[in-house]
Amino acid sequence: MALPAAPTKGADEDPPPEPLPPAELDEGWRDEGHEYLGRRVARTFEGGLTVVGRITRWLPAGDGEDEPPLFHMNHDDGDEEDLAEYEVIDAFELYKTTPEATKLAQAKARAEARAAKEEEKAVKAEARAAKASERAAAATTAEAKAAAEVEARAARLEVKACRAAALAARADTSGAEAAVAEAREEAMAAKAAFSKVAAKAKAMAASAREAKAKAAEEAKKKREAERGPRGAKTAAQFYTEAERLKLTATHPGLDAPAIAEMIKAQWKVLEEADKAPY
């Protein structure tokens, strides 16, 4: 086998291997049916040259002891070779030390961190949805109930969006491009739906607060109308206000009811001339 001129970095998302030519099929080589197929490997050659590639085919063991299974490695630089199983296992371990494997591991770690963050957001959104549903059940007005129901729906959509985003983040490291695209599309659709419903929920909540404030103001006006206009203060009330401050200062140990009794007693014995200023 000719050695490659320079080391290659390789690519984890290579296209699938081409179908086996008839000659190799006749020899018993297979492109399915073994866990090693499709996995990335690395080999070191003379001079410390490391070449990265992929296991694309395998040949089951023969009947004799000297016929172990073989595995075909396609190098990223276009070369190829057949490996014994122990060589494949060594190639797996060597691949873990390559820049490509390190980069993929780092990308996977970042993707998992993004996915974990989205999952955390989903859990919080689920809690908000539950609370909003409780508020909807306990609402006393149609406006408040509708606002809470829309808020709950918005939170549930956010849960869906976060879970889809987490799936998309994890799919980024799987090599399944169709799954990535589908997960991202679902995440975008869910987030768009959430934004729309969340805006509606916010508007309805504001409307419910406004309606509640308006109802409270109307109830206050009704109570005031039923009570009628307040009458003018009496002389006794003016006297009480004036004396309360004095007695509170001179008798700090007395409580309000005791002060009131003292003022009441004083007013009863007060001469009419002394009451006149009040």
Side-chain angles (χ1 to χ4, degrees):
M1 182 195 72
L3 293 178
T8 57
K9 294 182 179 179
D12 191 53
E13 304 307 330
D14 289 344
E18 296 181 0
L20 293 175
E24 292 196 9
L25 286 174
D26 291 342
E27 293 175 4
W29 286 89
R30 302 178 184 178
D31 56 5
E32 60 182 3
H34 201 287
E35 61 179 332
Y36 292 171
L37 294 176
R39 290 184 59 179
R40 299 289 284 170
V41 288
R43 295 270 286 159
T44 299
F45 296 97
E46 184 179 346
L49 179 68
T50 299
V51 178
V52 178
R54 188 185 301 275
I55 301 298
T56 58
R57 305 160 194 167
W58 75 295
L59 180 67
D63 296 331
E65 294 183 359
D66 59 345
E67 297 181 72
L70 295 176
F71 299 87
H72 190 79
M73 173 184 174
N74 279 4
H75 296 187
D76 288 348
D77 59 13
D79 208 342
E80 56 186 26
E81 63 176 317
D82 296 333
L83 306 175
E85 187 166 12
Y86 76 89
E87 292 177 307
V88 175
I89 294 173
D90 289 343
F92 287 152
E93 293 302 315
L94 180 60
Y95 175 75
K96 294 177 183 179
T97 67
T98 63
E100 176 186 304
T102 301
K103 183 178 179 181
L104 288 173
Q106 292 172 346
K108 184 175 182 179
R110 289 193 297 269
E112 285 296 334
R114 291 197 303 272
K117 189 173 182 179
E118 292 294 341
E119 288 289 352
E120 183 180 353
K121 288 165 61 178
V123 171
K124 292 180 179 179
E126 284 179 335
R128 289 198 300 274
K131 289 181 179 179
S133 296
E134 291 175 0
R135 287 197 298 273
T140 57
T141 65
E143 293 84 357
K145 181 178 178 65
E149 287 176 345
V150 173
E151 184 180 355
R153 181 169 173 244
R156 287 192 293 270
L157 281 173
E158 185 179 2
V159 172
K160 184 178 180 181
C162 292
R163 292 270 157 76
L167 176 62
R170 292 193 174 100
D172 269 340
T173 63
S174 70
E177 294 182 2
V180 174
E182 183 179 354
R184 283 179 174 165
E185 184 177 349
E186 184 179 359
M188 290 176 64
K191 285 183 177 179
F194 161 69
S195 298
K196 184 177 180 180
V197 176
K200 184 178 179 181
K202 186 176 180 180
M204 291 187 69
S207 178
R209 289 193 299 270
E210 184 178 345
K212 184 177 180 180
K214 184 177 180 181
E217 182 64 24
E218 290 177 351
K220 180 180 178 182
K221 290 180 179 179
K222 183 178 180 181
R223 289 194 302 270
E224 291 177 349
E226 291 173 350
R227 186 169 57 239
R230 295 183 179 181
K233 288 184 179 180
T234 63
Q237 289 174 325
F238 281 113
Y239 178 78
T240 298
E241 290 178 357
E243 289 298 309
R244 182 185 295 114
L245 295 176
K246 297 177 184 178
L247 293 176
T248 300
T250 55
H251 302 282
L254 295 180
D255 56 14
I259 295 291
E261 287 298 324
M262 289 181 65
I263 295 173
K264 185 177 180 181
Q266 290 178 183
W267 179 258
K268 286 183 178 180
V269 299
L270 202 63
E271 297 291 338
E272 291 298 325
D274 294 326
K275 292 180 179 180
Y278 300 100

